[in-house]
């Protein structure tokens, strides 16, 4: 099981470094709802990641077991990796030009007025309708399914992936709880930097995870 969790670390790190969810948590922490809103967002995100990775892991395990080989899952990993590489190129080409202000997503304008239920919904939407992160979670699920683990071990592996994927969202929450009087400037600065570098960060992450999926899929075909 621990070897599988080790294999899941890159997928969890890729989701954790995704800028948009981090920006959402930063905005919620600076809003009147504060830590409670960030907690609702985190919970929604954690549940979505567990559901996607767990569901894909279960299905891939069943498919490989029925086929009597890891060929089907390996082929899916290769195709998914190539798609992520294509998304990386698209993201890179759409990055803002030097000196150009990045476009602010519409949801950012209203998130500061969020209540608990709306913060939870934003967490669901930013995970379920984020193709890149769904692909990362699916990649993690494929890795779990290919390992042919017992149900409990597979579930713990998926949970470990989801917790790691949410780790960067916990850091600003901890900062607000520990040093609330000094956190506002740091949160605003981090949000600005992430917004300006969102495209570049995601392009690099997509390319790396795409290469990881293709490499893992090819190794399973041997």
């Amino acid at each position: 099981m621990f070897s599988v969790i080790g294999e899941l670390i890159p997928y969890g790190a890729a989701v954790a470094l995704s800028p948009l969810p981090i920006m959402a948590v930063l905005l919620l922490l600076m809003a009147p709802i504060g830590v409670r809103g960030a907690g609702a967002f985190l919970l929604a995100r954690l549940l979505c990641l567990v559901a996607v990775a767990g569901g894909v892991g279960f299905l891939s395990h069943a498919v490989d077991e029925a086929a009597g080989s890891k060929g089907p899952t390996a082929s899916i990993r290769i195709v998914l990796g190539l798609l992520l590489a294509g998304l990386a190129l698209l993201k890179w080409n759409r990055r803002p030009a030097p000196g150009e202000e990045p476009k602010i997503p519409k949801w950012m304008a209203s998130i500061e007025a969020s209540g608990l239920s709306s913060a939870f919904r934003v967490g669901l939407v930013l995970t379920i309708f984020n193709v890149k992160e769904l692909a990362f979670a699916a990649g993690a699920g494929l890795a779990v399914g290919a390992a042919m683990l017992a149900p409990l071990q597979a579930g713990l592996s998926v949970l470990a992936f989801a917790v790691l994927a949410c780790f960067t969202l916990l850091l600003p929450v901890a900062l607000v709880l520990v040093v609330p009087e000094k956190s506002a400037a740091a949160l605003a600065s981090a949000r600005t930097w992430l917004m300006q570098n969102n495209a570049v960060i995601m392009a690099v992450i997509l390319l790396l995870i795409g290469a990881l999926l293709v490499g893992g899929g090819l190794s399973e075909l041997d």
Side-chain angles (χ1 to χ4, degrees):
M1 182 185 76
F2 291 107
S3 62
V4 176
I5 292 176
E7 189 178 347
L8 296 179
I9 288 175
Y11 299 104
V15 177
L17 293 173
S18 183
L20 285 182
I22 299 175
M23 284 190 281
V25 166
L26 295 178
L27 286 169
L28 285 167
L29 288 172
M30 291 187 288
I33 196 169
V35 173
R36 293 185 302 122
F41 180 95
L42 263 167
L43 177 60
R45 189 162 171 76
L46 185 69
L47 292 175
C48 285
L49 292 172
V50 167
V52 173
V56 171
F58 174 80
L59 290 174
S60 64
H61 179 96
V63 169
D64 283 349
E65 203 169 49
S69 74
K70 296 182 180 180
T73 296
S75 300
I76 294 172
R77 291 175 80 174
I78 293 170
V79 171
L80 185 58
L82 293 174
L83 287 174
L84 289 182
L87 283 173
L89 180 61
L90 186 64
K91 197 74 175 176
W92 179 263
N93 289 333
R94 290 183 176 178
R95 72 191 188 280
E100 180 184 352
E101 286 294 323
K103 293 181 180 179
I104 299 176
K106 292 181 179 179
W107 57 265
M108 283 191 180
S110 60
I111 196 171
E112 293 183 357
S114 295
L116 275 179
S117 59
S118 53
F120 187 85
R121 284 196 301 272
V122 171
L124 292 177
V125 169
L126 283 186
T127 308
I128 294 174
F129 295 102
N130 189 325
V131 176
K132 299 177 288 294
E133 294 191 12
L134 287 180
F136 295 153
L142 288 169
V144 172
M148 299 292 186
L149 297 172
L152 178 59
Q153 292 178 322
L156 290 174
S157 298
V158 167
L159 183 60
F161 156 75
V163 171
L164 175 60
C166 294
F167 179 72
T168 49
L169 305 184
L170 292 169
L171 294 178
V173 174
L175 178 65
V176 170
L177 290 173
V178 175
V179 283
E181 68 283 353
K182 297 180 180 179
S183 62
L187 296 179
S189 177
R191 181 179 67 86
T192 301
W193 186 88
L194 287 168
M195 192 175 297
Q196 291 173 342
N197 296 279
N198 172 39
V200 174
I201 294 170
M202 284 309 305
V204 172
I205 292 173
L206 286 165
L207 183 60
L208 290 176
I209 298 300
L212 180 67
L213 281 165
V214 171
L218 290 173
S219 67
E220 295 290 348
L221 290 176
D222 290 339

